[in-house]
Amino acid sequence: LAVEEGRVARNELFITTKLHPKNLGTVSTRKAIEEMLVNLQTDYLDLVLIHFPVCGHWINTCTDVQVEGTWRDSWRVMEAFVQQGKLRAIGLSNFDQAELQQAIAFATHKPDVVQNWMDPFHQDKAVRALCAAEGIVYTSYSTLGGQWEHRGERRNLVKESSTIREVANRHKLHWSSVA
């Protein structure tokens, strides 16, 4: 609305969104990206990430879903949207080192960004090193440890870390500033 009313120029915004794994495949990805553009009321998106390499059982919205294709099919569609100027950058989320190596070898347009879970106790070193070597921007999510609660720990290892709390107290900081 702010762009439409002229209060903010579109080029002052950086719009990122993700392709849900249920939309993996050629036709599904094309349709999903076109819907993103319409729903976000823009001619282009700054960054689109493939959210997961597969539509796995651990994703609630992937149960009982027939996925049209693979991340490779989706990647080709995204590369075409880059060529058309409708996507400025494309990337991957939740890809491990082996999957990222496959993507780099497969891609005509190498991933611009990889977004993965990283925190003090889950540092994703192999993927980060591969990204650095390949000139791919690495960005992280769940840096304060929330993923531990979703992965069977039932507690946040980062938030509960005595070492992190000790360092925070020593420097009169909140634990999240240290993590």
Side-chain angles (χ1 to χ4, degrees), residues 117-123 142-145 148 158 161 164 178-179:
W117 166 34
M118 185 187 77
D119 67 38
F121 303 117
H122 184 271
Q123 296 183 9
S142 195
T143 56
L144 299 180
W148 291 106
V158 178
S161 168
I164 289 173
V178 173

Side-chain angles (χ1 to χ4, degrees), residues 33-159:
I33 292 172
E34 288 168 354
E35 287 176 1
M36 290 172 194
L37 291 164
V38 168
N39 292 340
L40 293 168
Q41 300 175 23
T42 185
D43 297 330
Y44 68 93
L45 296 166
D46 297 288
L47 173 62
V48 174
L49 302 167
I50 294 177
H51 198 164
F52 286 96
V54 296
C55 201
H57 67 279
W58 63 92
I59 304 168
N60 293 342
T61 52
C62 282
T63 56
D64 300 324
V65 171
Q66 185 70 357
V67 178
E68 175 208 338
T70 69
W71 67 261
R72 288 172 181 81
D73 302 319
S74 296
W75 192 259
R76 288 292 184 238
V77 172
M78 290 167 62
E79 288 176 326
F81 273 95
V82 169
Q83 290 296 315
Q84 296 167 21
K86 293 185 178 188
L87 301 182
R88 299 272 171 97
I90 54 178
L92 307 167
S93 184
N94 298 301
F95 276 56
D96 65 25
Q97 181 185 17
E99 292 162 335
L100 179 55
Q101 287 172 322
Q102 291 170 17
I104 292 167
F106 175 78
T108 302
H109 179 110
K110 186 168 47 174
D112 297 296
V113 176
V114 168
Q115 180 192 60
N116 277 0
W117 166 34
M118 185 187 77
D119 67 38
F121 303 117
H122 184 271
Q123 296 183 9
D124 203 23
K125 288 180 180 180
V127 172
R128 287 176 37 226
L130 181 56
C131 286
E134 293 289 335
I136 299 169
V137 174
Y138 181 95
T139 184
S140 59
Y141 68 86
S142 195
T143 56
L144 299 180
Q147 281 299 305
W148 291 106
E149 297 171 60
H150 299 292
R151 302 204 180 223
E153 281 295 321
R154 299 203 188 277
R155 62 192 187 104
N156 184 326
L157 300 181
V158 178
K159 184 177 181 180

